[in-house]
Amino acid sequence: MILLLNQLTFRQLKNALEETQHLPHVLFAEARSSERWKSVIEDGNYSSFWGKMKEQAAEIIEKPVRAPLFSEFTLFGDTGNRSIYESQWNKLYAGLHTFSMLLMMEDRPEWKTGLNNAIWNICNEYTWVWPAHVGLYHKDHSDGIWDQPALPRETVDLFAALSAFGLAETVSLHGDRLHPWVVHRVKEEIDRRIFQVYFHTPIPQKWEMDTNNWPAVCASSIGAAAIYLIEDGEKLAGMLWRVIGVLRNYFSGFDEQGSTPEGPAYWQVGFSYFVYFAELLKERTHGKILLLTDEKVESISQFPQFCMLSDGKVINFSDSSDKVQFNIGLIHRLQDYVPSLQLPSETYRQHPVLNSWVDAARNMLWSPESTPSDLALDLEGVQERIYTGNQWFISKVKNSNGRFSAFAAKGGNNDEPHNHNDLGHFILHVDGENVLADIGLGDIYMYSKQYFHPQYRYEMINAGSHGHSVPIVDGCRQAYGEQYRANIITSQTSEDEVQFVLDLTKAYNCDSLELLTREFIWKRPKNENPQLVITDMASFSKVPESFQEVFISSVLPQDTGIGRIRMNSVTLVYNLDQWRAEVEPIQSAAHTLSFYRVKLTCRNPGLEVASVCRFEIEHS
């Protein structure tokens, strides 16, 4: 019997683990194959990776890395800065990933010493929890913690869980190369910092109640560590049952069509670790439990393919870069369960990362030994999907001349994971460029205490509605909170066009606003250039002082002064008599790239305001 995620009972989990307890089982089988490692080491595609690994190893040996200082740890509480501590943390953990990987290439004494030292240093850390996540159980934004005389109780955050997974897998694979004290220390520390904290108290971790990438990474990593370290089937069943409950909750964050409001970048962060755990559980139970055959896995697996545009660009709503690369080993493994899944083209393929043994090993070992071009993801004609649950619409068009364009729009609510206040926002992509764009996150080190606190977050251009292509209504931006939401009025397609209509009235906390709808008509007739027409209809209880349309461009807009604003391959056409146009650069500390706001201000707003903006595409 094959047991699935949503059908699995505790008795079935317990029986499967107990029945296979004394059978020989090989965890992460590919990593234990010398032949598979030989092929990966000799593969020219990875020569740069191995070269950088050796350089990094030599640097660590020559200049041993210290643990982060106390003053670096408390910097987050003092100023909100987290980058200094996290940079030093990455250096400390580099030895674990580097030497663990290089010992698969050659059994050198200095690399064994390096791995022993790296693990010992990690075990000597006061906590594996990042400062930004200390006391996260206490309050959403960690207020009222750093000014207290007593340390907050231990918790399990994303990086504590990842540390446990990486250490447990390393000890399992390299146990005979490591000093027995180091092996014992790892098991002792994982038990103290992870198992005792997570399994020995009924108090839930905050992330257990979330549906974003955190529950997937944390629960899967804890479960993976338990599979490696706990031999008793009954005990392991009790531990994994809590993990399974969290993963079921994680799955509930995907809509029926498989989308996540976090977008493709965080899809990869969360879903990859679910896959890693599922494959370990499959090996531990000798195939009795196959979580990846769950009926929802297929639609979830296909989501990033719909988000891929061209030239490495993706649909990047919320906290994401507009370029994302994917773990090709992950996608290839998912093909075993979802045969219709296609491998992405070279532009979208992630090179093995230097700072994660868990990800890099699976990237290489799970990848196909050859990737013929006919497997590369390609699009002909039209590809479209409406994700009704999370209210995303995506349409991609490739004409007979090979010219590519795409349109995406979103509704949802303004309290989504990695939320931006962006209801009714859209992206218009032409030939490798998100012309009408989402600013995204920018530099990951923009993450700070302030960025995750609503009082400050939505004043920042990246997350506030003023940094998105949505109206400013009677001086009001969109508001933060789950109650501020969009509703789909219409979503229909025909041979030549798509109509997608949203009610945005509840996106704004505006006393005078009675109704606001936004209609997208995406015209894509065969062998003609597509165009997008956006019609906003607003009605008010009293005459508004102002009404503005805002559009975010990634290229410098050129205003012709005759109701046409050109943005490279896209031209915005508007009624010059009704609207006054201005263009302003966007100042963002998170970006080296340039973005611009096109603002159309209504000259004479009344009780009803109608706006019609047409975006004409001309392929270069």
Side-chain angles (χ1 to χ4, degrees):
M1 179 186 295
I2 297 174
L3 304 175
L4 310 180
L5 179 64
N6 286 319
Q7 299 174 359
L8 186 65
T9 67
F10 177 65
R11 182 180 295 277
Q12 290 170 331
L13 175 65
K14 178 175 176 292
N15 288 344
L17 290 167
E18 288 183 327
E19 289 168 7
T20 57
Q21 177 175 319
H22 300 296
L23 297 177
H25 47 264
V26 181
L27 300 176
F28 195 9
E30 296 83 2
R32 300 173 193 276
S33 168
S34 58
E35 286 301 311
R36 186 71 184 102
W37 275 112
K38 184 174 184 293
S39 67
V40 165
I41 292 166
E42 293 176 352
D43 188 334
N45 291 318
Y46 304 127
S47 58
S48 175
F49 170 79
W50 293 109
K52 290 178 181 177
M53 275 289 177
K54 290 179 179 178
E55 291 175 7
Q56 191 162 268
E59 184 177 339
I60 294 171
I61 291 170
E62 182 181 352
K63 299 178 180 179
V65 181
R66 62 166 174 81
L69 301 172
F70 176 72
S71 57
E72 292 169 337
F73 187 89
T74 57
L75 194 60
F76 176 80
D78 296 336
T79 69
N81 181 289
R82 56 189 286 178
S83 62
I84 293 175
Y85 174 89
E86 290 169 13
S87 176
Q88 189 61 33
W89 183 93
N90 281 321
K91 293 177 183 177
L92 181 70
Y93 276 71
L96 172 66
H97 310 302
T98 300
F99 295 116
S100 184
M101 189 66 71
L102 287 175
L103 283 170
M104 292 301 182
M105 174 185 283
E106 186 179 344
D107 198 350
R108 292 190 187 180
E110 65 269 29
W111 290 348
K112 286 197 291 189
T113 299
L115 184 57
N116 276 304
N117 286 338
I119 294 173
W120 193 257
N121 285 339
I122 291 169
C123 290
N124 283 339
E125 279 193 289
Y126 176 75
T127 181
W128 291 346
V129 178
W130 276 14
H133 306 145
V134 165
L136 195 60
Y137 63 86
H138 175 74
K139 203 172 184 180
D140 282 356
H141 310 289
S142 298
D143 292 334
I145 289 174
W146 294 90
D147 57 353
Q148 300 299 309
L151 291 161
R153 68 172 171 85
E154 187 70 286
T155 185
V156 180
D157 79 330
L158 199 76
F159 295 95
L162 288 170
S163 299
F165 187 176
L167 288 168
E169 190 160 86
T170 298
V171 165
S172 176
L173 290 169
H174 293 297
D176 57 343
R177 296 186 175 100
L178 296 169
H179 193 288
W181 289 5
V182 170
V183 175
H184 176 79
R185 183 84 188 279
V186 165
K187 295 177 180 179
E188 184 179 64
E189 294 298 331
I190 291 176
D191 181 71
R192 180 175 70 87
R193 300 170 187 263
I194 307 297
F195 296 162
Q196 293 291 330
V197 172
Y198 184 63
F199 294 115
H200 288 247
T201 173
I203 300 173
Q205 300 287 315
K206 178 185 175 296
W207 47 261
E208 290 186 272
M209 297 171 280
D210 294 333
T211 58
N212 57 14
N213 67 93
W214 266 66
V217 177
C218 293
S220 296
S221 295
I222 292 169
I227 289 172
Y228 274 117
L229 300 181
I230 305 301
E231 296 181 2
D232 181 82
E234 184 177 34
K235 181 178 180 180
L236 182 58
M239 298 167 79
L240 295 189
W241 187 241
R242 184 166 177 176
V243 167
I244 294 294
V246 175
L247 294 176
R248 284 173 171 166
N249 190 51
Y250 163 66
F251 260 48
S252 72
F254 294 90
D255 63 17
E256 289 304 310
Q257 294 81 31
S259 77
T260 168
E262 289 190 291
Y266 281 102
W267 170 94
Q268 177 160 255
V269 173
F271 197 61
S272 61
Y273 277 82
F274 169 74
V275 173
Y276 302 163
F277 168 73
E279 289 295 88
L280 287 171
L281 185 57
K282 170 188 171 182
E283 291 171 322
R284 172 60 180 79
T285 61
H286 288 257
K288 290 180 180 290
I289 301 178
L290 298 177
L291 301 185
L292 290 174
T293 56
D294 188 272
E295 61 183 3
K296 206 169 181 180
V297 165
E298 180 174 2
S299 61
I300 293 173
S301 300
Q302 292 172 339
F303 172 64
Q305 289 195 171
F306 283 94
C307 294
M308 294 179 199
L309 301 174
S310 65
D311 195 30
K313 295 294 180 69
V314 297
I315 295 161
N316 65 315
F317 298 137
S318 75
D319 282 339
S320 175
S321 166
D322 65 354
K323 280 197 169 186
V324 176
Q325 293 182 318
F326 296 92
N327 185 321
I328 196 70
L330 170 70
I331 306 297
H332 188 240
R333 178 51 56 97
L334 284 170
Q335 285 184 320
D336 292 344
Y337 303 91
V338 186
S340 62
L341 203 61
Q342 294 176 283
L343 294 180
S345 61
E346 181 63 33
T347 310
Y348 288 96
R349 293 180 186 176
Q350 182 187 81
H351 297 290
V353 291
L354 297 175
N355 62 350
S356 174
W357 153 270
V358 171
D359 289 310
R362 287 162 177 81
N363 190 325
M364 294 187 291
L365 297 173
W366 283 358
S367 290
E369 296 195 37
S370 62
T371 53
S373 58
D374 62 346
L375 286 177
L377 179 66
D378 200 5
L379 168 70
E380 294 294 340
V382 177
Q383 185 183 71
E384 289 174 338
R385 179 155 295 188
I386 297 174
Y387 294 97
T388 55
N390 287 315
Q391 299 183 2
W392 282 30
F393 170 75
I394 300 171
S395 176
K396 300 188 282 189
V397 181
K398 193 172 186 180
N399 65 23
S400 57
N401 295 323
R403 314 305 296 188
F404 182 90
S405 56
F407 160 65
K410 76 176 295 292
N413 70 76
N414 278 341
D415 190 21
E416 296 169 339
H418 284 275
N419 181 69
H420 288 188
N421 289 346
D422 60 355
L423 308 183
H425 178 53
F426 69 98
I427 292 170
L428 194 56
H429 174 96
V430 183
D431 294 333
E433 190 170 44
N434 289 0
V435 180
L436 277 297
D438 192 301
I439 299 173
L441 171 67
D443 188 339
I444 189 70
Y445 290 120
M446 180 181 172
Y447 278 6
S448 64
K449 183 164 64 173
Q450 292 83 354
Y451 188 64
F452 284 97
H453 198 301
Q455 180 180 347
Y456 306 103
R457 179 184 182 92
Y458 299 107
E459 293 303 311
M460 298 182 187
I461 195 78
N462 296 67
S465 69
H466 56 304
H468 295 82
S469 296
V470 298
I472 298 175
V473 181
D474 201 5
C476 298
R477 303 175 190 169
Q478 291 187 10
Y480 164 72
E482 188 178 4
Q483 70 272 31
Y484 300 102
R485 57 177 54 248
N487 290 304
I488 297 177
I489 298 174
T490 303
S491 59
Q492 57 186 13
T493 62
S494 65
E495 183 178 354
D496 291 335
E497 70 177 38
V498 178
Q499 183 189 35
F500 186 56
V501 186
L502 294 171
D503 183 342
L504 298 178
T505 312
K506 293 183 179 179
Y508 296 83
N509 184 14
C510 179
D511 292 338
S512 62
L513 180 65
E514 292 188 334
L515 180 67
L516 174 62
T517 62
R518 167 162 281 192
E519 177 192 57
F520 298 98
I521 296 182
W522 173 239
K523 300 180 180 182
R524 39 157 180 67
K526 191 174 183 180
N527 297 327
E528 294 183 26
N529 288 336
Q531 69 173 241
L532 174 66
V533 179
I534 298 178
T535 302
D536 288 342
M537 302 291 294
S539 60
F540 297 87
S541 59
K542 60 180 182 179
V543 175
E545 294 185 8
S546 64
F547 189 95
Q548 289 182 319
E549 295 284 9
V550 176
F551 302 109
I552 305 300
S553 173
S554 66
V555 300
L556 179 62
Q558 303 291 332
D559 188 357
T560 64
I562 56 172
R564 299 178 68 87
I565 299 177
R566 187 170 178 83
M567 296 164 278
N568 285 3
S569 53
V570 177
T571 299
L572 164 60
V573 182
Y574 65 97
N575 185 333
L576 185 61
D577 294 332
Q578 185 182 4
W579 302 93
R580 182 180 70 255
E582 58 183 312
V583 175
E584 60 184 25
I586 288 176
Q587 303 296 325
S588 173
H591 268 286
T592 55
L593 302 176
S594 297
F595 291 90
Y596 304 87
R597 295 173 84 219
V598 177
K599 290 197 300 184
L600 302 181
T601 301
C602 187
R603 296 182 185 275
N604 295 294
L607 289 175
E608 294 186 348
V609 176
S611 163
V612 180
C613 295
R614 186 170 73 252
F615 295 85
E616 299 176 348
I617 293 174
E618 182 178 349
H619 291 284
S620 56

